[in-house]
C-alpha cells in the first residue's frame, strides 16, 4: 500500500494539471472570443442584405433602396492582382537574395528595414503612392523636385504608369508597396528551412548556383512561398486608407485601370459615414463579404501550410 503522502502528492499533481488545462483553455477562448463576437455581429447586421443582387448590381443612387457592390468586389480583385504584380516579384527575389546571395552585414540591414516597413501605417504608403503617381508635380526647380520628376518620368516610360490622377494602378502600387516587405521576410524564412544538403548535392553534381536555386531550392519551398504571398494578400485586402489617396472610388463598373476604381473597403467607408439606413445595411453586408474573403484566404493558407509541414 503506497504511503499517504504519495497519494496526496499524486492528487495534488492531478489538481494542478487540471487547473492549468482549464486556465489554458480559458485564455484560448478569451483570445478568439473577439473574432467570434465580430463574426456574430457582422452576420446579424449584414446577412439580410447579402443576396445575388448585392454581388452583381451597382450601388443605388442616393435616396433609393437596394443596389449592390458588384463593382467594388471586382475592383478589389483588380487591386489585389495589380498589387501582386508589384509585390510578389520584388518580395520573392529579395527573399532569394537574402537567403542565397547576400552578405551578413547587408542582409542585417535589409532585414531591419523590411521589419521597419512592415510596421509603417498603411496611410503612409497611400501618401507615398499619391505623391509618386497621383499628385501633379510641384512647380519650381530644386534638387528634390527635379529628382522626383525624373523618377515619375522613368516609371511612366518603363511601365506606362499613368500620372496626375487617381487610378487602379495607383491603388495597386500602394498595396504592392505594403506587400513587398512581408513577402520578402516570409520568403527568406521559408528558403532558410530548405536543407543545406540539397544545395550541396546540386553543386556537387555541377549545377551553377542560380540553377540550384531555380531547380532545387524554389520548388522545395514553393508551398511556403505561396503561403507567404496569400498572407500578404489577406493583409492588404481590407486596407482603406491607402485607397483613399490612390484609387479614390467609383460608383460604376471600371473599364480602364487608368481611372478611379471602387473597392469593398472604400465602399464600406463611404456607406458607413452616410446618413442613410439602407447604406448602413449595405456597409454591414460589405464588411461581412470582406471578412469572408479574408477568412477564405487564411483557410487556404492553413491548408497549404499544413501540406508543406507534412512534406
Amino acid at each position: 500500500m503506497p504511503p499517504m503522502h504519495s497519494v496526496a502528492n499524486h492528487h495534488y499533481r492531478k489538481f494542478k494539471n487540471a487547473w492549468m488545462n482549464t486556465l489554458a483553455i480559458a485564455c484560448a477562448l478569451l483570445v478568439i472570443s473577439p473574432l467570434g463576437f465580430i463574426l456574430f455581429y457582422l452576420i446579424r447586421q449584414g446577412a439580410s442584405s447579402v443576396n445575388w443582387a448585392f454581388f452583381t448590381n451597382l450601388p443605388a443612387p442616393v435616396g433609393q433602396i437596394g443596389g449592390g457592390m458588384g463593382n467594388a468586389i471586382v475592383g478589389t480583385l483588380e487591386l489585389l492582382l495589380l498589387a501582386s504584380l508589384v509585390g510578389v516579384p520584388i518580395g520573392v527575389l529579395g527573399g532569394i537574395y537574402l537567403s542565397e546571395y547576400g552578405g551578413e552585414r547587408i542582409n542585417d540591414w535589409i532585414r531591419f528595414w523590411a521589419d521597419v516597413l512592415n510596421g509603417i501605417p498603411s496611410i503612409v504608403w497611400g501618401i507615398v503612392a499619391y505623391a509618386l503617381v497621383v499628385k501633379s508635380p510641384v512647380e519650381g526647380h530644386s534638387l528634390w523636385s527635379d529628382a522626383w520628376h525624373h523618377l515619375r518620368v522613368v516609371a511612366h516610360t518603363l511601365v506606362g504608369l499613368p500620372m496626375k490622377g487617381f487610378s487602379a494602378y495607383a491603388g495597386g502600387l500602394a498595396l504592392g508597396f505594403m506587400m513587398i516587405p512581408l513577402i520578402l521576410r516570409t520568403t527568406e524564412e521559408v528558403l532558410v528551412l530548405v536543407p543545406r544538403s540539397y544545395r550541396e548535392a546540386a553543386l556537387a553534381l555541377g549545377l551553377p548556383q542560380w540553377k540550384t536555386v531555380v531547380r532545387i531550392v524554389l520548388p522545395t519551398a514553393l508551398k511556403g512561398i505561396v503561403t507567404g504571398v496569400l498572407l500578404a494578400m489577406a493583409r492588404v485586402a481590407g486596407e482603406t486608407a491607402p485607397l483613399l489617396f490612390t484609387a479614390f472610388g467609383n460608383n460604376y463598373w471600371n473599364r480602364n485601370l487608368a481611372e478611379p476604381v471602387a473597392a469593398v473597403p472604400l465602399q464600406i467607408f463611404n456607406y458607413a459615414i452616410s446618413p442613410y439606413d439602407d447604406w448602413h445595411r449595405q456597409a454591414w453586408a460589405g464588411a461581412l463579404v470582406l471578412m469572408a474573403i479574408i477568412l477564405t484566404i487564411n483557410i487556404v493558407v492553413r491548408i497549404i501550410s499544413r501540406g508543406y509541414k507534412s512534406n
Side-chain angles (χ1 to χ4, degrees):
M1 184 175 180
M4 292 299 295
H5 67 85
S6 297
V7 176
N9 191 32
H10 174 69
H11 288 306
Y12 177 65
R13 290 200 303 270
K14 289 183 64 177
F15 170 76
K16 285 199 302 183
N17 182 65
W19 166 249
M20 293 307 299
N21 284 337
T22 303
L23 182 62
I25 293 173
C27 291
L29 293 175
L30 185 64
V31 169
I32 65 174
S33 58
L35 177 61
F37 288 133
I38 291 173
L39 285 175
F40 171 77
Y41 199 75
L42 286 178
I43 293 172
R44 179 183 175 184
Q45 297 289 331
S48 61
S49 298
V50 177
N51 49 40
W52 181 249
F54 180 83
F55 292 97
T56 57
N57 290 358
L58 293 173
V62 176
Q64 293 187 13
I65 298 177
M69 291 190 183
N71 62 330
I73 295 173
V74 174
T76 296
L77 298 178
E78 291 175 351
L79 290 171
L80 287 177
L81 177 60
L82 292 172
S84 299
L85 292 177
V86 174
V88 173
I90 299 176
V92 171
L93 291 176
I96 293 173
Y97 176 82
L98 289 178
S99 173
E100 307 296 326
Y101 294 99
E104 182 176 353
R105 177 170 296 183
I106 190 173
N107 281 5
D108 289 339
W109 278 104
I110 294 175
R111 293 188 191 101
F112 170 77
W113 285 111
D115 293 337
V116 171
L117 293 177
N118 270 325
I120 290 180
S122 59
I123 192 171
V124 176
W125 290 115
I127 294 172
V128 170
Y130 173 82
L132 179 63
V133 179
V134 178
K135 185 176 181 295
S136 298
V138 180
E139 297 294 335
H141 294 283
S142 67
L143 181 62
W144 170 252
S145 62
D146 290 342
W148 198 251
H149 173 71
H150 290 311
L151 180 61
R152 291 161 61 96
V153 170
V154 170
H156 179 71
T157 303
L158 292 180
V159 299
L161 196 64
M163 301 293 179
K164 302 181 183 179
F166 299 102
S167 65
Y169 290 119
L173 185 67
L175 299 182
F177 284 162
M178 296 178 60
M179 292 176 65
I180 289 173
L182 181 57
I183 295 177
L184 184 145
R185 294 293 281 133
T186 55
T187 300
E188 182 203 4
E189 294 297 330
V190 170
L191 293 178
V192 168
L193 295 177
V194 177
R196 181 63 58 179
S197 58
Y198 288 13
R199 299 173 175 84
E200 294 173 350
L203 294 174
L205 292 174
L207 285 179
Q209 187 174 7
W210 71 270
K211 283 189 176 181
T212 300
V213 173
V214 172
R215 296 185 178 182
I216 305 297
V217 178
L218 287 180
T220 304
L222 182 60
K223 287 187 176 180
I225 295 173
V226 173
T227 299
V229 171
L230 291 177
L231 285 174
M233 292 177 65
R235 161 76 171 80
V236 303
E239 292 292 342
T240 305
L243 302 182
L244 291 172
F245 290 90
T246 53
F248 193 69
N250 187 352
N251 286 332
Y252 304 97
W253 296 106
N254 180 268
R255 293 179 172 84
N256 186 354
L257 296 179
E259 296 178 353
V261 64
V264 175
L266 281 176
Q267 205 76 3
I268 293 172
F269 173 77
N270 292 330
Y271 279 3
I273 63 176
S274 71
Y276 308 108
D277 292 336
D278 186 64
W279 282 16
H280 292 167
R281 289 191 291 271
Q282 294 274 345
W284 285 114
L288 179 60
V289 170
L290 185 61
M291 176 68 76
I293 293 173
I294 295 175
L295 282 177
T296 301
I297 294 176
N298 280 277
I299 290 172
V300 173
V301 168
R302 296 292 296 178
I303 294 173
I304 294 177
S305 61
R306 183 177 300 175
Y308 177 73
K309 290 178 181 178
S310 63
N311 290 336

